[in-house]
């Protein structure tokens, strides 16, 4: 009996060792051109303190020379909102945008009233008899609706951050990104928080959980900058719509709009001729000898900034500030 158990244990160990040996490991590829992060491009008015260079831990536990970028949470270049039209007669100036199947839709009151046709589902019903639209206009409503498991009391609401929820505006965001990005043979999946940041310090987030949002017959509109507010992370972008600082390129290439958390640069979707980027890899990136490896963000309606990290991502931490 004992012999038998030992043999099973030995076999088990052998399998573990074999898996360990055969498991593919990410390796770093040396590229001819690698562009280091340029800290001077972050908008000074939105930096809480000057960008620092320090050896820090990346998300995989490895150490690297990093930039520590501490920013405000609201954009410098544009106002935030509007998101939800409040009445069925409200025009497009009172609403933000919504995504479906790669398209961007401008929201007005009638759009909200017609959601049953838009989604071919009669359960959509957000307009009250007096023409007003059900919007999460209290702290409680917002907190119970702006989450994946929407409280049933707030089904059929437009989810938007009410004015009374504003403490997130005092938070600081601390980004740690490697000074020189490393091209890895195996990509890293996006995390739950930041994918990267715009030059104004606002976070580019992973895709919004649109399936869960629609399941509750809610929508959580983005403003025309592609952003909205969530009670935990504050204002963040799910799309790049051209409202933030851009670094123009000398050639026809799309402008740079920020950095991913792994230190590779983020460029807009379209180039100067309005053409979409070609031959992007599984991470939404490609290489050229001007820019080295870099990403192109997806079109706004795609609800996706980039698909995966090509390098090793750093970190983003939200630091709450005491009441002022
Ligand atoms: Zn979001
Ligand atoms: Zn490119």
């Amino acid at each position: 009996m004992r012999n038998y158990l030992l043999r099973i244990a030995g076999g088990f160990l052998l399998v573990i060792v074999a898996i360990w040996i055969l498991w593919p490991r990410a390796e770093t590829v040396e590229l001819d051109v690698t562009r280091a992060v340029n800290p001077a491009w972050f908008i000074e008015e939105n930096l809480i303190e000057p960008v620092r260079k320090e050896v820090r831990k990346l998300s995989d536990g490895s150490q690297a020379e990093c930039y520590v970028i501490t920013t405000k949470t609201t954009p410098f270049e544009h106002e935030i909102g509007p998101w939800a039209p409040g009445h069925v007669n409200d025009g497009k100036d009172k609403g933000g945008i919504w995504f479906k199947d790669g398209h961007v839709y401008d929201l007005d009151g009638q759009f909200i009233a017609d959601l049953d046709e838009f989604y071919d589902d009669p359960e959509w019903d957000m307009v009250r008899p007096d023409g007003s639209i059900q919007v999460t206009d209290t702290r409680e409503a917002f907190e119970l609706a702006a989450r994946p498991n929407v409280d049933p009391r707030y089904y059929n609401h437009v989810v938007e951050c009410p004015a009374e929820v504003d403490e997130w505006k005092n938070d600081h965001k601390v980004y740690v990104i490697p000074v020189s990005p490393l091209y890895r043979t195996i990509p890293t999946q996006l995390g739950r928080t930041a994918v990267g940041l715009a030059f104004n310090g606002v976070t580019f987030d992973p895709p919004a959980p649109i399936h869960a949002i629609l399941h509750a017959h809610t929508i959580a509109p983005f403003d025309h900058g592609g952003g909205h507010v969530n009670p935990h992370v504050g204002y963040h972008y799910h799309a790049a719509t051209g409202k933030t600082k851009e670094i123009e390129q000398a050639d026809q290439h799309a402008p740079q709009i920020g950095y991913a958390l792994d230190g590779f640069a983020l460029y807009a979707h379209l180039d100067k001729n309005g053409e979409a980027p070609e031959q992007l890899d599984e991470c939404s990136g490609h290489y050229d000898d001007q820019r080295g490896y870099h990403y192109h963000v997806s079109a706004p309606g795609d609800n996706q900034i980039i698909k995966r990290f090509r390098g090793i991502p750093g970190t983003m931490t939200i630091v709450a500030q005491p009441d002022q």
Side-chain angles (χ1 to χ4, degrees):
M1 183 65 186
R2 204 170 146 201
N3 236 336
Y4 177 70
L5 283 177
L6 271 176
R7 224 182 295 165
I8 288 187
F12 192 63
L13 202 69
L14 212 65
V15 169
I16 300 268
V17 169
I19 288 175
W20 186 77
I21 289 172
L22 295 173
W23 195 262
R25 280 178 184 71
E27 283 163 24
T28 300
V29 177
E30 289 282 340
L31 304 173
D32 287 343
V33 176
T34 298
R35 298 279 178 222
V37 172
N38 184 346
W41 285 337
F42 293 102
I43 297 174
E44 209 178 334
E45 287 87 342
N46 264 23
L47 292 176
I48 299 294
E49 55 185 40
V51 176
R52 295 197 309 273
K53 204 189 250 190
E54 283 176 10
V55 173
R56 296 285 287 261
K57 218 180 240 184
L58 300 179
S59 58
D60 71 344
S62 64
Q63 303 259 356
E65 187 168 60
C66 291
Y67 283 121
V68 180
I69 306 155
T70 305
T71 73
K72 297 180 185 174
T73 55
T74 48
F76 176 75
E77 309 93 315
H78 65 91
E79 297 292 318
I80 63 169
W83 294 280
H87 193 277
V88 69
N89 293 336
D90 279 351
K92 288 182 176 166
D93 58 317
K94 300 280 171 56
I97 57 174
W98 189 237
F99 310 148
K100 180 179 175 239
D101 301 335
H103 294 279
V104 176
Y105 295 88
D106 287 320
L107 300 184
D108 58 12
Q110 198 57 48
F111 184 95
I112 302 295
D114 293 341
L115 279 171
D116 53 345
E117 287 168 32
F118 188 69
Y119 284 115
D120 193 19
D121 172 358
E123 283 184 44
W124 286 94
D125 180 17
M126 293 188 178
V127 183
R128 300 188 188 93
D130 67 357
S132 65
I133 290 169
Q134 299 186 139
V135 178
T136 57
D137 50 8
T138 63
R139 175 181 295 273
E140 188 195 13
F142 177 55
E143 284 172 357
L144 293 174
R147 60 184 202 187
N149 55 332
V150 178
D151 186 294
R153 279 173 290 172
Y154 298 103
Y155 286 179
N156 264 308
H157 276 66
V158 185
V159 182
E160 110 177 338
C161 180
E164 67 178 291
V165 178
D166 64 354
E167 56 282 0
W168 59 270
K169 289 182 182 170
N170 296 326
D171 292 349
H172 297 167
K173 286 191 172 169
V174 182
Y175 298 89
V176 174
I177 61 176
V179 169
S180 275
L182 295 178
Y183 183 104
R184 305 286 280 168
T185 50
I186 297 176
T188 297
Q189 301 292 333
L190 303 182
R192 293 212 190 160
T193 61
V195 169
L197 73 162
F199 293 123
N200 60 19
V202 173
T203 310
F204 286 117
D205 256 45
I210 285 188
H211 186 77
I213 293 170
L214 295 179
H215 183 73
H217 295 92
T218 58
I219 64 169
F222 316 100
D223 61 16
H224 287 267
H228 64 185
V229 177
N230 151 314
H232 309 290
V233 301
Y235 185 76
H236 58 279
Y237 296 125
H238 286 287
T241 62
K243 298 267 191 267
T244 64
K245 177 176 176 179
E246 299 182 336
I247 302 292
E248 287 299 325
Q249 306 295 295
D251 54 10
Q252 295 303 304
H253 195 271
Q256 190 184 340
I257 60 166
Y259 285 100
L261 228 51
D262 59 7
F264 284 117
L266 292 169
Y267 288 82
H269 184 63
L270 299 178
D271 68 14
K272 284 179 187 159
N273 303 317
E275 304 282 344
E278 284 179 352
Q279 294 181 327
L280 298 181
D281 66 8
E282 68 216 282
C283 306
S284 313
H286 62 187
Y287 176 90
D288 71 41
D289 31 323
Q290 282 303 309
R291 287 154 283 266
Y293 182 84
H294 60 278
Y295 300 112
H296 283 270
V297 300
S298 300
D302 288 346
N303 182 30
Q304 172 176 276
I305 302 298
I306 58 170
K307 292 181 181 161
R308 292 183 182 85
F309 292 115
R310 181 40 82 189
I312 304 168
T315 56
M316 187 280 282
T317 317
I318 298 171
V319 183
Q321 300 300 307
D323 279 340
Q324 283 154 355

